[in-house]
Amino acid sequence: MAAGNCLLLLLLLPWLVTASHSPPGCKIRITSKGLDLVKQEGLRFVEQELQNITMPDVHGKEGQFHYNISQVKVMDLQLAFSNLHFQPQQHLVFNISNASISLRFRRQLLYWFFYDIGSINASADGVHIHTVLQLAKDEAGRLKISNMTCNASIARMHAGFSGTLRTVYEFLSTFIITGMRFLLSQQICPSLEHASLVLLNSVLDTVPVRNYVDEHIGIDYSLLRDPAISTDTLDLDFKGMFFPRARENQELENHAVEPVIKETERMVYVAFSEYFFDSAMHSYFQAGVLAIELQGEKVPKDLEVLLRATFFGTIFMQSPAVDAPLRLVLQVSAPPRCIIKPSGTSVSVSAFLNISLVPPGRPAIQLSSMAMETKLSAKVFLQGKALRVQLDLRRFRIYSKQSALESLALFSLQAPLKTLLQLTIMPIINERTKKGVQIPLPEGMDFTKEVVTNHAGFLTVGADLHFSKGLREVIEKYRPPPTTPTYPS
């Protein structure tokens, strides 16, 4: 019995592994070149954080000498040698070596009846900082810095003393400098830990995870799993699924090909599978907005004349007047499907067109109900952080759902209806897709020099990165206001 259960488990194991690995609808790869740009902005941020280090006062007594060091301020930093690199499986490593930090602080000295105050300039040289950031998916599906380890050391420190008691200060410099060196090294890591786990995570909070696209649909950009980090790349698998706002908890199963990114030449690559676009069209279909109605003066005059001539016999047999307004209702009959091939991207649409007379004050009289099969070519492009799609009519066919004879009679309507779609319907559709949808990047970071490449079942956008806002600017924008403490009466 046990052997049989083991055999069944072995047979089901491949299926269980496949089931546990949900394919992403959207995938982002950041390469080492992109990390170099992030390092430049991150280095400026680290400099600003280290300049804000606060240190406690240093005071002590040596024989009859009483000294106090206070108001320590960082005046300058020289972070000449720094490195930011990937470390498998989930880490970023940030190193600073042979840096120097210039300090200035206030001195107070009491020796018998002599009292001296003033300022001292000090310098910490050979500063080494080693930090490791662990990246992970949080409960909301957002990328976060989940943990940080840090080690900081100072090789040497010296101070310049002046004043009437210079000799005394030089005698005490060993005690003062040793204490300052210890305190400074103890303040570096807590400052960077707060900068990473609090401030940088607040920037990652600006990445859209689940938000609305328009009044009809939204998109889910939650991470499916923790990031995959190699020595050269960081890969993020996003759900990439649209949903109708009326049914936000609805799930559309993903049967599309999983995007595979092999390139590393650009700073960043974003891949979208057919599922990404299919879920958008499926959501719009369920929202009931893939329908357009034209009536009266909105029907192009040439098409109206042709339709009246085509259906003249039907109109003549009806009791209403022949000059009753025409109404055209174009409605998609099934969710459109996206097809991505190396040669290009297309969208297949099935719809029906109802043509009716609408006599004033009387029920509408249907003249024809024809089926339509349309193939649209889709141009996908990235602008800023918005993914946009422009559609163009490629193929068009109509036929009657009643008889082959009527389909033959409708052949003369093929060209004018195609013109109607191109001149009237397509501009409306492209106006709706003009806004696009935002790609999951933090605020202040944009794409430049985008290049779209088609593959079998998915497409990739290779681009470089650009900081339109600095990290500090984004952090200050979203920094929560300080709360006033309440005290019991």
Side-chain angles (χ1 to χ4, degrees), residues 238-343:
F238 297 93
K239 194 171 189 177
M241 184 197 76
F242 292 84
F243 56 87
R245 292 181 60 170
R247 291 185 285 267
E248 294 194 10
N249 295 325
Q250 177 179 283
E251 292 283 337
L252 182 65
E253 196 168 350
N254 187 353
H255 298 290
V257 174
E258 180 174 348
V260 178
I261 304 176
K262 298 181 179 179
E263 299 86 355
T264 57
E265 290 78 17
R266 306 295 294 273
M267 292 184 181
V268 63
Y269 291 89
V270 189
F272 305 93
S273 74
E274 293 174 343
Y275 172 81
F276 180 86
F277 301 100
D278 283 346
S279 66
M281 294 181 288
H282 189 273
S283 299
Y284 275 125
F285 178 77
Q286 289 198 320
V289 296
L290 299 185
I292 296 176
E293 180 178 315
L294 302 176
Q295 182 173 322
E297 295 180 354
K298 293 185 178 181
V299 179
K301 202 64 182 177
D302 295 342
L303 179 61
E304 181 183 0
V305 172
L306 182 61
L307 289 174
R308 289 184 180 277
T310 303
F311 298 105
F312 182 80
T314 307
I315 296 173
F316 184 76
M317 295 298 293
Q318 307 294 335
S319 56
V322 175
D323 60 351
L326 279 176
R327 181 173 66 191
L328 278 64
V329 178
L330 177 63
Q331 185 167 355
V332 174
S333 57
R337 294 297 306 272
C338 175
I339 303 169
I340 303 177
K341 297 180 179 179
S343 57

Side-chain angles (χ1 to χ4, degrees), residues 103-297:
L103 304 171
R104 189 171 185 176
F105 47 88
R106 186 172 181 267
R107 72 174 188 260
Q108 292 175 290
L109 177 67
L110 177 63
Y111 177 66
W112 292 101
F113 302 106
F114 297 97
Y115 181 68
D116 183 51
I117 61 173
S119 60
I120 298 178
N121 295 322
S123 176
D125 298 322
V127 180
H128 296 269
I129 306 172
H130 177 78
T131 58
V132 179
L133 306 178
Q134 182 175 358
L135 303 179
K137 174 182 77 74
D138 68 3
E139 293 181 359
R142 181 179 273 112
L143 179 67
K144 283 298 183 69
I145 301 172
S146 61
N147 192 24
M148 173 187 172
T149 58
C150 174
N151 293 300
S153 63
I154 299 174
R156 53 196 174 277
M157 191 168 185
H158 58 84
F161 300 98
S162 60
T164 56
L165 299 179
R166 175 182 176 184
T167 306
V168 176
Y169 272 107
E170 289 178 348
F171 171 74
L172 295 174
S173 64
T174 302
F175 306 103
I176 296 174
I177 294 304
T178 300
M180 290 294 299
R181 175 183 172 187
F182 174 78
L183 288 176
L184 179 59
S185 63
Q186 292 298 306
Q187 296 300 316
I188 290 175
C189 283
S191 176
L192 295 182
E193 183 175 353
H194 176 267
S196 301
L197 299 181
V198 178
L199 301 183
L200 289 183
N201 274 336
S202 71
V203 176
L204 293 176
D205 282 338
T206 65
V207 176
V209 172
R210 189 176 178 91
N211 61 328
Y212 295 139
V213 177
D214 53 30
E215 65 271 23
H216 304 294
I217 68 171
I219 187 168
D220 188 338
Y221 271 132
S222 58
L223 281 171
L224 295 174
R225 54 192 65 89
D226 290 334
I229 298 180
S230 69
T231 55
D232 300 315
T233 61
L234 181 151
D235 288 343
L236 301 168
D237 289 349
F238 297 93
K239 194 171 189 177
M241 184 197 76
F242 292 84
F243 56 87
R245 292 181 60 170
R247 291 185 285 267
E248 294 194 10
N249 295 325
Q250 177 179 283
E251 292 283 337
L252 182 65
E253 196 168 350
N254 187 353
H255 298 290
V257 174
E258 180 174 348
V260 178
I261 304 176
K262 298 181 179 179
E263 299 86 355
T264 57
E265 290 78 17
R266 306 295 294 273
M267 292 184 181
V268 63
Y269 291 89
V270 189
F272 305 93
S273 74
E274 293 174 343
Y275 172 81
F276 180 86
F277 301 100
D278 283 346
S279 66
M281 294 181 288
H282 189 273
S283 299
Y284 275 125
F285 178 77
Q286 289 198 320
V289 296
L290 299 185
I292 296 176
E293 180 178 315
L294 302 176
Q295 182 173 322
E297 295 180 354

Side-chain angles (χ1 to χ4, degrees), residues 23-68:
C26 171
K27 191 169 189 172
I28 291 183
R29 163 170 288 185
I30 299 175
T31 67
S32 296
K33 292 183 179 180
L35 201 61
D36 288 340
L37 180 68
V38 174
K39 185 194 79 170
Q40 297 173 17
E41 182 63 26
L43 198 58
R44 285 192 289 269
F45 175 66
V46 168
E47 288 178 352
Q48 294 168 349
E49 287 302 303
L50 293 181
Q51 285 177 345
N52 294 326
I53 286 179
T54 58
M55 296 175 56
D57 296 349
V58 179
H59 54 84
K61 178 183 177 183
E62 293 297 328
Q64 298 302 322
F65 294 101
H66 299 261
Y67 61 90
N68 184 66

